[in-house]
Amino acid sequence: EPEVTQTPSHQVTQMGQEVILRCVPISNHLYFYWYRQILGQKVEFLVSFYNNEISEKSEIFDDQFSVERPDGSNFTLKIRSTKLEDSAMYFCASTPGGAYEQYFGPGTRLTVT
Amino acid sequence: SQKIEQNSEALNIQEGKTATLTCNYTNYSPAYLQWYRQDPGRGPVFLLLIRENEKEKRKERLKVTFDTTLKQSLFHITASQPADSATYLCARLGAAGNKLTFGGGTRVLVKP
């Protein structure tokens, strides 16, 4: 069964450094998402992406964040200058259509020291 | 803003019994409510979706109801098994059909 994959599974970085989290969505899906989950807290929406552009973003998704689909298969989340409070589990998700169930990847645990 | 609330207390239940979880939302009824399962350190896994014009949806031992008057969805696991132990998340789909807004989840522990 096709699944969403994410790399790396765990990323440790120093405050102020740039990180890129990578995702490979399911191949025939059209909508792509990033969510994050701080330890012990809710899963929070960051951004949705459709037709090569951002369709919606949350207040969390400020100028430090960007997304890209560089080659038609990968979907990346970049954090330009990481802060301690960016430490969280980051989940990528995809769906064939906007109102369908979302398929989540296994997540990347980001630790900012 | 649209809020979605779940009982944050863990639910301990004996194997074979029915677990019932509650999800309450504010403001207007979402067109869709979705339920996901999350195991520790893993991504959410989709279980069931119910539309606002549907009263009930079933899948194997799972049942979801949607009451727009009470602004509530109930999630039932019948004949529960230890393998059902996990956190169950309720989520509403945004008006634009894009983002999911999740509740905090209810942890279920099924004891043999």
Side-chain angles (χ1 to χ4, degrees):
Chain A
E1 185 174 331
E3 56 185 24
V4 176
T5 59
Q6 290 186 242
T7 54
S9 56
H10 190 188
Q11 173 96 46
V12 181
T13 190
Q14 288 191 327
M15 196 166 52
Q17 295 296 304
E18 174 183 287
V19 294
I20 297 176
L21 310 183
R22 291 183 167 79
C23 168
V24 179
I26 294 173
S27 63
N28 62 343
H29 285 189
L30 301 176
Y31 293 77
F32 314 110
Y33 309 84
W34 283 101
Y35 292 83
R36 79 172 186 190
Q37 186 174 31
I38 295 169
L39 189 63
Q41 298 189 24
K42 295 181 182 184
V43 176
E44 300 175 288
F45 168 80
L46 292 178
V47 66
S48 60
F49 193 84
Y50 170 71
N51 202 24
N52 278 323
E53 59 183 25
I54 290 174
S55 47
E56 190 171 355
K57 60 184 180 180
S58 72
E59 294 173 354
I60 303 167
F61 194 89
D62 61 21
D63 292 345
Q64 293 300 309
F65 292 85
S66 63
V67 289
E68 199 176 34
R69 188 156 159 81
D71 55 13
S73 63
N74 290 282
F75 179 50
T76 62
L77 174 70
K78 182 193 291 187
I79 309 175
R80 287 190 185 80
S81 178
T82 50
K83 305 171 192 164
L84 293 175
E85 54 265 36
D86 293 327
S87 294
M89 196 77 157
Y90 287 80
F91 295 109
C92 173
S94 69
T95 182
Y100 289 78
E101 64 268 25
Q102 296 186 13
Y103 294 79
F104 284 77
T108 293
R109 180 169 299 285
L110 178 65
T111 303
V112 183
T113 61
Chain B
S1 64
Q2 309 305 320
K3 288 190 178 177
I4 194 152
E5 301 288 345
Q6 295 182 254
N7 188 350
S8 59
E9 284 184 28
L11 181 63
N12 292 308
I13 191 164
Q14 204 65 36
E15 183 177 6
K17 300 292 186 186
T18 297
T20 299
L21 286 63
T22 304
C23 174
N24 295 294
Y25 59 88
T26 61
N27 298 335
Y28 63 85
S29 290
Y32 303 88
L33 266 178
Q34 302 185 14
W35 284 87
Y36 289 78
R37 168 183 173 140
Q38 188 176 30
D39 290 285
R42 309 287 293 272
V45 175
F46 172 78
L47 296 174
L48 278 169
L49 175 155
I50 187 164
R51 295 174 173 79
E52 64 175 332
N53 60 352
E54 295 176 320
K55 297 290 186 192
E56 182 178 297
K57 204 79 169 280
R58 289 176 186 260
K59 179 183 174 184
E60 298 172 352
R61 293 184 295 107
L62 308 179
K63 185 178 85 171
V64 173
T65 62
F66 195 172
D67 189 326
T68 55
T69 303
L70 294 178
K71 296 191 175 181
Q72 183 179 84
S73 174
L74 298 180
F75 178 82
H76 307 269
I77 308 171
T78 58
S80 58
Q81 302 168 1
D84 296 327
S85 298
T87 296
Y88 292 86
L89 309 177
C90 175
R92 65 183 295 163
L93 196 63
N98 273 313
K99 67 180 186 184
L100 287 173
T101 299
F102 283 90
T106 300
R107 194 159 62 93
V108 173
L109 179 59
V110 182
K111 298 180 180 176

